[in-house]
Amino acid sequence: MNENERGIFKLSGITGMLIATALLLTILVVLTYNGIKVQQNEATNFYQINQDLNGLKMNSSDNHTHYQLVGNGK
């Protein structure tokens, strides 16, 4: 193959580094934004315990009956 020919997927050096950096920063921003939005939505969606904590048993299938959803329930 001739060294003067450039393929479309042949990005090396500073161009490849800048594209990779921009892609990683974009992914970071999107994940951070989504994490903040989830936290804001769930901050008002909390539970209240209806019973003493001693009534809860590990790995019991009826533990969900001891809690009541107090938040907005989105």
Side-chain angles (χ1 to χ4, degrees), residues 2-3 7 10 18 20 29 34 39 42 48 61 67:
N2 190 355
E3 285 293 321
K10 197 171 188 178
L18 289 175
V29 167
N34 287 339
Q39 178 62 32
E42 294 300 321
Q48 176 182 11
S61 61
Y67 295 96

Side-chain angles (χ1 to χ4, degrees), residues 11 14-32:
L11 295 172
I14 192 80
T15 306
M17 183 199 64
L18 289 175
I19 291 173
T21 303
L23 182 63
L24 289 173
L25 287 174
T26 302
I27 292 170
L28 176 68
V29 167
V30 168
L31 290 176
T32 302

Side-chain angles (χ1 to χ4, degrees), residues 33-45 72 74:
Y33 176 77
N34 287 339
I36 290 171
K37 291 306 290 180
V38 166
Q39 178 62 32
Q40 287 174 344
N41 290 338
E42 294 300 321
T44 59
N45 194 14
N72 56 13
K74 287 183 184 176

